[in-house]
Amino acid sequence: MKRLLMVSMAALALALVPMAAAADEGEGGQHFGPFAGASGDSGTCGPDWALDTFTRNFAVHENSDGTFRLVETFSNGHFVTIAGPSPNSCNSGTYNGSLVAAGVKGQFGGFLNGTVTGGTYNPNGCRATPGACDTTSGFVLAVFGPSAKYTCVDGGGSCSFFFGYFAPRQGLKSHIWINASPDLGGNRGDIASTTV
């Protein structure tokens, strides 16, 4: 039953990405993207556990208090693991406190949903400097300016996030990891080869 729940949660995470983007566009917000992305992926212990490639999109909505809601979605995500601590190794649980072998391949998708304060909204910011919006911080700088703060990067407010990672078995002890904010159920599962 627990395995079925984890598989369902990972499938839900991958399915939420296009739904979140479509909902944002339908609410009158401005859409930016797609932008190709690649980065290291840090786990609960801090060091990168995988290298990711993905497509990112942003949607900006003006709030009634002068702040902006910024939703960033990650789709078409693929990862390749780096040998070392598994992504959820610093949390307690059945398969946590684990290691992952190098070269495990899988897929992921998810989103960040936070608030931008400060700065001045410039909807042409991504066009002004090619490549400026290929990262979250770069997008905030290009579209809102250097004094803007985004709660999903700078803290200081709420940030909801949900990412689902799935790898075919490949000899893994655990092959599904949900990386989520507390309001969306928190972290659970792992991508782990062995238990330490």
Side-chain angles (χ1 to χ4, degrees):
M1 184 67 169
K2 186 174 182 179
R3 177 181 289 183
L4 179 60
L5 178 61
M6 292 298 292
V7 171
S8 298
M9 292 301 288
L12 175 62
L14 294 171
L16 283 175
V17 173
M19 288 173 30
D24 285 331
E25 291 171 8
E27 292 176 5
Q30 182 156 359
H31 175 263
F32 300 83
F35 303 103
S39 69
D41 196 333
S42 61
T44 57
C45 290
D48 287 346
W49 67 277
L51 298 175
D52 296 343
T53 57
F54 48 85
T55 300
R56 69 172 87 227
N57 286 275
F58 299 91
V60 175
H61 304 269
E62 187 169 6
N63 297 321
S64 59
D65 62 0
T67 65
F68 292 84
R69 181 168 62 100
L70 175 57
V71 178
E72 181 178 9
T73 57
F74 298 78
S75 60
N76 303 315
H78 297 273
F79 66 85
V80 179
T81 60
I82 300 167
S86 62
N88 207 23
S89 61
C90 281
N91 282 338
S92 60
T94 305
Y95 293 108
N96 301 344
S98 301
L99 299 173
V100 66
V104 173
K105 296 179 180 180
Q107 298 178 311
F108 77 96
F111 62 88
L112 299 171
N113 183 349
T115 303
V116 176
T117 57
T120 302
Y121 180 51
N122 174 10
N124 296 312
C126 290
R127 289 190 207 118
T129 309
C133 295
D134 291 349
T135 67
T136 306
S137 296
F139 178 85
V140 172
L141 179 62
V143 175
F144 294 97
S147 63
K149 302 288 183 197
Y150 180 41
T151 55
C152 291
V153 173
D154 302 303
S158 67
C159 175
S160 291
F161 61 90
F162 191 100
F163 291 86
Y165 295 82
F166 173 79
R169 281 288 181 186
Q170 303 171 68
L172 297 171
K173 292 178 81 75
S174 183
H175 67 286
I176 297 170
W177 182 42
I178 303 299
N179 176 216
S181 53
D183 61 313
L184 295 176
N187 296 334
R188 47 217 182 263
D190 210 344
I191 304 291
S193 301
T194 60
T195 303
V196 195

